Amino acid sequence: MRTGWIVALAVGAGCARAPETTSASSGATATAMATATSTPSATATATPTPTPTPTPTPTPAASAAADPPLEGADFAAQAKVLYRVAACGASGDVPARFDANIVSKHCDELSRAYADYRKSWVEVAEPFIAALRPKQLPGVVVYPFGGGDLVSALATFPDASEITTISLEPAGDVRPIDRLSADFLGHELAVHRSHLERLFEKAHSRTDNLEKESKTELPGEILFDLAALVVHGEEPVSLRYFRLKPDGSVAYVTQADIDAAKRPGERHALFANMELRFRRAGSADAPVQVLRHVSFNLDDAHQKLDPSLQAYLMARGAKVAAMTKAATHLLWNDHFSVIRGWLVDHTDWMISDSTGLPPRIAGPAGFTQETYGTFDGPSPFGDPDKRDSDDLKKLFASQPSRDLPFRYGYPDKDGHAHMVVTRR
């Protein structure tokens, strides 16, 4: 795997909704943009040398989960067209039916946004995150509440062999790129470009914005992931859809499955979960990395009703690396105890904003937590628990002030950047 760090934007993602009987947000805000436009805390004035951490060599089981046999329908051709035309990747050709001038204008504007983001955030965050991350970690990464946010996951774990993001949003059907009319291309690209540019500029994305994106012809979740590949210098290799069997194994969607789906709900379900394989652009011999996005409500009721996700997560190995951010403080909510408990049992190292594991859970489970930036209380997203808010403020107050010169997820209630590293 690559050894260098490439850090990029964090695009929006939806969160699992809390049950109606709780006060947690149901129209959840989502994964934070990491942006250099945020103002670091005035009290955090020096960038410290991160505390050295002994890193055990991971066991093979903890390093990577077994890949399922590659079967089913591969939509690599459609993914590569979307990568070239909408995400403005460097490889591939613009289909003859599209106006090359429209694509060129779109890519000129989007490329400027990419360049501005790299300058304003990547070059600031890259050395900081690189210094914090242990040299060796499990190759499997799990990112709850992180749909569409491959760009942030790769920034944090560039050498991951497998990344799983989980959120409410379905991946979406990539096939409309085949039938998108030339007359509608300019409108469609402008909508997606606008969403991407807002994600570059804002500190976080709301789920309702992603829902608007899902109403476009082209699949917004997949486009966000393809944009991440462009920022990181990667290219798509394959795109498949899958379902989770009750035992947690992956069953790839076949063309026969698609042909047999008669009702809209059946067809929608077939395109909910996707697997994107990718590698370094222009390097045929580079290792292939895997992103799987699972569309799933992570609250306890849904996980108990459908055990397939828990079975899938259990198959990821004894230990994983993890991250979460802008998750509307759902891991503070006891209606999300199943996913929280799985993280406690299987996480080797985790990075988050305030929406990660709260101190009352992390400490007794044997984790240590190191704070960066300033936290004077949670942002008003979701329904933060006062006990966890108070505990986290005490945790920040008990540690030396450590500068955080970029935003990683939500700001605190006063707009301060903050971050928490949780290690076993």
Side-chain angles (χ1 to χ4, degrees), residues 153-351:
L154 280 177
T156 308
F157 301 106
D159 298 328
S161 57
E162 175 193 296
I163 299 167
T164 296
T165 60
I166 311 165
S167 73
L168 289 174
E169 289 79 29
D173 187 351
V174 75
R175 297 176 302 161
I177 191 64
D178 288 338
R179 58 180 184 268
L180 185 70
S181 71
D183 292 341
F184 198 61
L185 175 67
H187 166 78
E188 194 75 3
L189 294 182
V191 170
H192 288 280
R193 184 175 66 251
S194 175
H195 289 173
L196 284 168
E197 288 172 345
R198 283 200 299 272
L199 289 168
F200 290 150
E201 294 170 357
K202 301 296 182 182
H204 60 274
S205 172
R206 292 186 60 88
T207 294
D208 53 8
N209 291 337
L210 295 177
E211 290 172 351
K212 292 175 184 176
E213 179 89 350
S214 70
K215 293 179 173 64
T216 57
E217 287 291 316
L218 302 178
E221 289 284 313
I222 292 176
L223 178 52
F224 291 160
D225 290 328
L226 294 175
L229 298 189
V230 177
V231 172
H232 284 273
E234 310 277 352
E235 63 185 5
V237 173
S238 67
L239 176 66
R240 289 175 169 83
Y241 296 90
F242 66 91
R243 292 166 292 189
L244 292 179
K245 296 180 180 179
D247 66 358
S249 60
V250 168
Y252 290 109
V253 173
T254 66
Q255 188 59 50
D257 294 328
I258 297 170
D259 294 340
K262 303 303 181 184
R263 296 191 298 272
E266 292 176 323
R267 292 193 294 270
H268 177 82
L270 291 176
F271 296 98
N273 306 330
M274 71 91 182
E275 178 187 284
L276 176 65
R277 291 175 180 255
F278 58 94
R279 68 183 170 211
R280 173 63 57 183
S283 301
D285 296 332
V288 173
Q289 295 170 271
V290 181
L291 166 72
R292 292 197 188 97
H293 172 66
V294 182
S295 175
F296 204 98
N297 190 324
L298 282 169
D299 71 22
D300 292 354
H302 285 83
Q303 290 214 65
K304 291 173 182 176
L305 183 66
D306 180 357
S308 62
L309 178 65
Q310 270 292 304
Y312 170 82
L313 291 175
M314 292 298 290
R316 298 335 327 131
K319 289 290 180 290
V320 302
M323 63 179 289
T324 202
K325 55 210 278 291
T328 61
H329 301 92
L330 293 178
L331 289 178
W332 295 14
N333 188 320
D334 289 342
H335 287 278
F336 290 79
S337 64
V338 174
I339 184 63
R340 190 174 65 198
W342 184 87
L343 288 169
V344 166
D345 291 341
H346 295 276
T347 295
D348 191 54
W349 190 85
M350 182 175 187
I351 189 167

Side-chain angles (χ1 to χ4, degrees), residues 96 110 120:
L110 189 55
S120 64

